[in-house]
Amino acid sequence: MDLHTAERQLQAAQRGGDVEALDALLHPRVVGAGPDGAIFSKEDDLESHRSGALRITNLVEESLDVQEDGETGLTRMVAAVDAVQGGTAVSARLRYTRLWVREDGRWRVLAATIVPVR
């Protein structure tokens, strides 16, 4: 699978709250930084979807840049996102920057940042 396809699979898993697919696409040691600056681990991310604390109701990609370089890759995406987080509805334009690594022929996210875009 190419990196573009992996990114799209990740977006679909986020939209659907598909914890199994997210588990497969996130590296065991993934570290992320959310729009509020909070740092989260793979288990934090999976648990937020599993418990329903985070439910993405709409994610519309506005732009996507994909760069592959051997066993590493980078995706930069801007998306309009509607979600329910901690029981509160939120809407934002967000920039997702993800560092991917390829292991055993499959891409997994090793690091991610999510920042608001105006």
Side-chain angles (χ1 to χ4, degrees):
M1 157 184 9
D2 67 3
L3 185 52
H4 192 268
T5 301
E7 171 65 34
R8 290 277 163 75
Q9 286 181 350
L10 182 63
Q11 291 176 36
Q14 290 174 316
R15 276 187 210 96
D18 186 339
V19 175
E20 186 175 316
L22 289 169
D23 185 40
L25 289 161
L26 299 177
H27 193 279
R29 294 185 308 273
V30 67
V31 175
D36 61 354
I39 303 300
F40 58 91
S41 68
K42 177 177 181 171
E43 190 50 43
D44 296 332
D45 194 30
L46 294 178
E47 183 56 29
S48 70
H49 288 277
R50 189 180 297 118
S51 70
L54 173 63
R55 188 169 43 88
I56 296 174
T57 56
N58 196 33
L59 187 151
V60 177
E61 177 188 299
E62 294 179 5
S63 66
L64 177 62
D65 180 45
V66 177
Q67 297 176 327
E68 288 187 43
D69 188 9
E71 301 304 304
T72 61
L74 181 71
T75 58
R76 289 184 302 271
M77 176 189 63
V78 173
V81 180
D82 297 316
V84 177
Q85 187 168 19
T88 303
V90 294
S91 293
R93 261 183 96 224
L94 300 172
R95 179 181 316 279
Y96 293 80
T97 303
R98 297 189 246 263
L99 173 64
W100 297 75
V101 293
R102 186 172 23 211
E103 295 179 328
D104 300 323
R106 67 180 179 164
W107 288 103
R108 298 176 94 180
V109 178
L110 182 61
T113 59
I114 307 164
V115 297
V117 176
R118 294 185 193 258

